[in-house]
Amino acid sequence: MRTTPELLAAVAAAAVPGVAPVATGPSPDDAADFRSCVVQDSEGRRWRVRSPLNTEASMRLETEHLVLQAFTPSVRSRLPFHLPTVAGSVAQDGLRTFVYSHLPGHTLSLREFQRQNEHPEPPVHAPSPSATPRAPLAVQLGRSLGCLHSLPRALVMDADLPAYSAEQCRKRMLHDLDQAATTGLIPGDLLRRWEEALEDTTLWQFSTRVVHGDLHEDNITVDHGSLASFTGWSDLHVGDPAVDFSWLVGMSDPAFADTVLEAYSVAAVQPPDRHLLRRAHLKAEFALAEWLVRGVDRGITSMVDNAQRMLATLAADVRASASPSPGVAGPPPVPPAPPASAASPAPPASPASTASAAASGADRTGDSADDSVDRADSDGRTLDGGSAPDGHPSDDGLSPGHHSGEGGSSAASGSVTPTS
């Protein structure tokens, strides 16, 4: 199936009555499973088109459509963020392409999340003097997750979506660990580290919640300093709330995740368990193994090679930091003793002085997502913006921990070119 931007624009015209495409632009997505673009019509409206490249990807879009239908207007009104709306779809060659209405805002890299948390963009319209000051981005994110995780389980159960107990979450991850071990490509010390965490039953005593299941920076849009929307809803289920926190491990400033968790504790109906962030660290580390398995299953050599390199880096970082378990820092470094006198040579530095005070390397998910986000100009035909270094490690557009490939549904990102 051909999936050029021009063809996707034609699909949008066929799927949504009254849409007359005049320009197209890129839309971040999982290049192995989807082709996507932003379409602008003659009335200046924007639409996001997602076309699956295989049966599995098409089923994911069908599942997302089912999930979005479960979010009735009354449920949506209880959430402090927008959700996508399916405007239409077209079936071709047994696969279904979906068209989504425009959502405000644009996606941010992890680095931009932290920068805007400290120095937010001003709102489009100045607030009134009596208005409550806008909360920092990390606080908004924590409140949004708290509201999402407080939704009734019936929302998921009635839609016939998966629901797992805490023990089932642990056993599913143990099964995935066994599958990863069969590749023979994962360092043994990492396998032992993850197995020990999975066998520590104290980590797995928590109340399950309604979770997004594939939350990361590419599935969140921000509009002038305000959290605007969550996208990529094909993995909604009842399960471990730590799943929706694992992407925060990639932040260079751990205080960001702590602020999110603090705001979450206030907003959620039930307070989080004390081991939530430790499981989030475990899931962030294990995402590399899942990514490697995915590459092996699909026979994508570049994906497997990149995953192996990052796993080797992770193993080296864990050894250097002496981190005993995911989310647990190793012992602090021991500084070398000062010289006895100016004339006498300094003693050799202790090996412990080279150890990191925290297992920052062990927190890597392999995907810092430092992709640039371009902004539209007034007529939408051309968008300006510099390109940040690409943080994605693979040549095929895949990144660990980003399984659905939603990539954010902001129609305002990327350059737009006129359709021919």
Side-chain angles (χ1 to χ4, degrees):
M1 178 180 176
R2 293 176 59 251
T3 53
T4 63
E6 291 77 15
L7 178 59
L8 294 180
V11 169
V16 184
V19 170
V22 297
T24 63
S27 177
D29 218 326
D30 186 335
D33 286 334
F34 302 97
R35 292 292 181 267
S36 301
C37 78
V38 173
V39 174
Q40 180 174 300
D41 66 18
S42 57
E43 296 183 8
R45 297 173 300 179
R46 295 190 169 209
W47 313 85
R48 187 178 187 225
V49 186
R50 299 189 75 200
S51 178
L53 300 181
N54 52 60
T55 303
E56 179 184 354
S58 183
M59 291 178 62
R60 292 185 67 84
L61 291 184
E62 295 279 5
T63 300
E64 182 180 43
H65 186 204
L66 178 66
V67 169
L68 294 176
Q69 286 181 317
F71 283 101
T72 62
S74 62
V75 173
R76 290 177 181 239
S77 66
R78 295 160 54 186
L79 297 172
F81 52 84
H82 297 286
L83 290 91
T85 299
V86 175
S89 64
V90 171
Q92 184 178 2
D93 299 331
L95 306 178
R96 184 169 292 276
T97 297
F98 284 83
V99 181
Y100 302 83
S101 58
H102 168 70
L103 286 173
H106 53 277
T107 59
L108 301 178
S109 67
L110 292 178
R111 184 171 55 196
E112 274 296 298
F113 256 105
Q114 294 177 107
R115 188 190 67 80
Q116 288 209 23
N117 184 61
E118 299 173 358
H119 307 287
E121 291 185 0
V124 178
H125 303 290
S128 63
S130 60
T132 303
R134 184 177 59 190
L137 200 53
V139 174
Q140 296 179 52
L141 182 58
R143 291 173 179 171
S144 296
L145 283 174
C147 292
L148 171 61
H149 290 184
S150 297
L151 290 175
R153 289 175 173 81
L155 176 75
V156 171
M157 310 291 282
D158 293 346
D160 199 24
L161 296 170
Y164 307 105
S165 66
E167 178 61 14
Q168 286 174 325
C169 291
R170 187 182 75 88
K171 288 184 175 179
R172 292 180 73 240
M173 198 168 181
L174 270 172
H175 176 270
D176 293 341
L177 179 63
D178 291 340
Q179 184 181 12
T182 60
T183 66
L185 302 176
I186 299 177
D189 49 352
L190 289 181
L191 291 174
R192 289 188 295 272
R193 172 182 175 86
W194 298 333
E195 185 177 14
E196 290 173 359
L198 286 165
E199 291 179 347
D200 183 359
T201 56
T202 60
L203 295 181
W204 301 89
Q205 297 175 6
F206 59 88
S207 297
T208 57
R209 312 283 177 87
V210 174
V211 298
H212 181 282
D214 189 32
L215 196 64
H216 49 77
E217 65 275 13
D218 286 344
N219 279 342
I220 301 172
T221 65
V222 176
D223 186 23
H224 292 88
S226 295
L227 193 149
S229 67
F230 285 172
T231 59
W233 290 93
S234 59
D235 284 325
L236 185 76
H237 65 278
V238 172
D240 186 356
V243 169
D244 288 345
F245 284 82
S246 61
W247 67 284
L248 295 172
V249 173
M251 296 286 187
S252 60
D253 181 8
F256 188 97
D258 292 337
T259 303
V260 172
L261 185 61
E262 182 180 356
Y264 174 88
S265 302
V266 175
V269 172
Q270 292 179 305
D273 66 281
R274 62 193 183 96
H275 296 302
L276 185 147
L277 285 184
R278 285 189 61 187
R279 294 195 309 280
H281 278 252
L282 171 62
K283 294 175 186 298
E285 290 185 18
F286 191 66
L288 287 178
E290 293 175 318
W291 194 45
L292 182 141
V293 170
R294 190 181 180 198
V296 170
D297 290 343
R298 296 189 175 199
I300 304 176
T301 304
S302 61
M303 186 174 174
V304 173
D305 291 343
N306 285 333
Q308 282 188 271
R309 283 195 292 269
M310 287 186 291
L311 283 164
T313 300
L314 172 60
D317 288 341
V318 168
R319 288 192 296 270
S321 67
S323 167
S325 181
V328 179
V334 179
S341 66
S344 60
S350 167
S353 67
T354 62
S356 171
S360 59
D363 297 343
R364 296 179 185 175
T365 63
D367 185 6
S368 60
D370 287 337
D371 298 325
S372 63
V373 179
D374 303 327
R375 305 218 185 149
D377 64 4
S378 58
D379 65 10
R381 288 178 173 269
T382 59
L383 301 178
D384 299 326
S387 295
D390 187 359
H392 293 277
S394 81
D395 298 328
D396 51 37
L398 295 171
S399 57
H402 293 205
H403 300 299
S404 76
E406 169 60 40
S409 63
S410 166
S413 64
S415 61
V416 176
T417 57
T419 57
S420 56

